Amino acid sequence: MSGVTLSLNQRAALLSGLLLVVGLLIWEAAIPAQMAAGELTEYERLMGRGEERAGVPPPSQVFAKAWEQLSDPFYDAGPNDKGIGIQIGYSIYRVLAGYFLAAIIAIPLGFLIGMSQLAFKALNPYIQVLRPISPLAWMPLALFVIQDSEASAIFVIFICSIWPMLINTAFGVAGVRRDWVNVARTHELGAFRTAFTVILPAAAPTIITGMRISIGIAWLVIVAAEMLVGGTGIGYYVWNEWNNLDLTSVIFSILMIGVVGMLLDSAFGILQRAVAYTE
């Protein structure tokens, strides 16, 4: 009887599932010991410190919270009590608004830099100065100038998204084989037609890579930005639950941040494979 041979993907999935189960079991088993170590002494109880202390919840409590929140993710019971679906929706809106504004500027400018040595030499010093600045460092200035927390958060996403797209677009355009461009010239194609029919398809994988990096950075930054500006969004949700000392909700929201980030990255991964080509 021949044994069953598993593919690499199947073996990887089994190993991943096994690691998850083992990690959850260790987490669940470690919580009672942690809580016992945190018990109050008799002196502390006499001093009025007998109230229950907050502790890291076990996975079972996090799963119960996830079921509770995901069973009705779009409820709205007031400014400080909205479902996780609504909070994530606000965050995704801000991310996509700032992200696409950045793409509108970064991709054409990247084309210009990649195709023109003059533009590269003129603009590169500004890029190298502005690129390393933390996006959150712009938040106080944005709040002062724009005077609107929503628009300020979108601006911060814009400023953090623009650099990977700009640099990767310029790199991809500059790396297009010169003989392809020369063939386009021999066919007397104009600059715009050459850019769209020759350079763009060849540089598309590199451009999409920059866009994929940007969406990941944007999703990281929006959580921190919403903690600062407050109001709505998944970052505000985390901070508000922390202020309520509800660590179960905090851990649940952290997991949701990871899941949404994975889905955004996967979408660009599919797009990246779609534009890949073989020479």
Side-chain angles (χ1 to χ4, degrees):
M1 182 176 178
S2 59
V4 177
T5 303
L6 298 178
S7 67
L8 177 62
N9 289 340
Q10 290 173 329
R11 284 181 287 156
L14 286 174
L15 179 58
S16 180
L18 178 62
L19 291 173
L20 176 62
V21 171
V22 171
L24 291 175
L25 290 175
I26 293 173
W27 180 6
E28 186 80 32
I31 295 303
Q34 175 184 338
M35 296 297 289
E39 290 178 356
L40 301 178
T41 64
E42 184 177 354
Y43 174 76
E44 288 175 322
R45 293 193 185 96
L46 290 174
M47 294 300 293
R49 302 178 186 174
E51 59 272 3
E52 185 179 354
R53 289 184 175 181
V56 176
S60 55
Q61 290 185 17
V62 177
F63 291 148
K65 174 62 69 174
W67 177 261
E68 173 192 335
Q69 290 289 325
L70 296 177
S71 60
D72 186 15
F74 298 105
Y75 76 88
D76 189 348
N80 294 322
D81 190 9
K82 299 181 187 296
I84 191 69
I86 293 177
Q87 304 288 18
I88 291 175
Y90 276 111
S91 297
I92 291 177
Y93 160 72
R94 292 172 184 137
V95 165
L96 294 182
Y99 179 84
F100 284 116
L101 284 173
I104 290 171
I105 294 175
I107 294 176
L109 189 58
F111 259 85
L112 176 63
I113 294 172
M115 296 177 70
S116 169
Q117 280 292 318
L118 176 63
F120 171 77
K121 291 182 179 296
L123 296 175
N124 187 56
Y126 300 102
I127 295 172
Q128 297 308 320
V129 168
L130 295 174
R131 184 173 59 89
I133 299 174
S134 169
L136 295 179
W138 293 97
M139 181 61 80
L141 182 61
L143 288 170
F144 178 79
V145 174
I146 302 174
Q147 297 186 355
D148 181 81
S149 59
E150 178 92 6
S152 298
I154 291 173
F155 171 78
V156 168
I157 296 304
F158 165 82
I159 206 71
C160 78
S161 300
I162 195 169
W163 307 120
M165 282 191 278
L166 175 64
I167 293 170
N168 273 53
T169 300
F171 178 77
V173 169
V176 174
R177 288 170 55 176
R178 292 296 95 189
D179 51 349
W180 293 355
V181 178
N182 292 335
V183 169
R185 287 175 179 169
T186 60
H187 285 80
E188 298 182 351
L189 298 181
F192 283 102
R193 192 172 178 186
T194 301
F196 281 102
T197 61
V198 178
I199 297 176
L200 180 59
T206 308
I207 295 172
I208 298 300
T209 298
M211 297 177 72
R212 188 176 182 178
I213 295 170
S214 287
I215 198 67
I217 295 173
W219 187 245
L220 285 172
V221 170
I222 193 60
V223 175
E226 288 172 345
M227 287 182 178
L228 293 176
V229 300
T232 54
I234 190 65
Y236 170 74
Y237 179 87
V238 173
W239 192 247
N240 190 52
E241 296 305 322
W242 160 247
N243 288 332
N244 295 331
L245 293 180
D246 187 351
L247 293 183
T248 305
S249 293
V250 170
I251 293 175
F252 163 69
S253 57
I254 289 172
L255 293 175
M256 290 303 300
I257 291 168
V259 169
V260 174
M262 179 188 69
L263 293 175
L264 290 172
D265 183 75
S266 298
F268 277 91
I270 294 171
L271 181 60
Q272 193 173 24
R273 289 190 293 272
V275 300
Y277 67 94
T278 304
E279 294 186 19

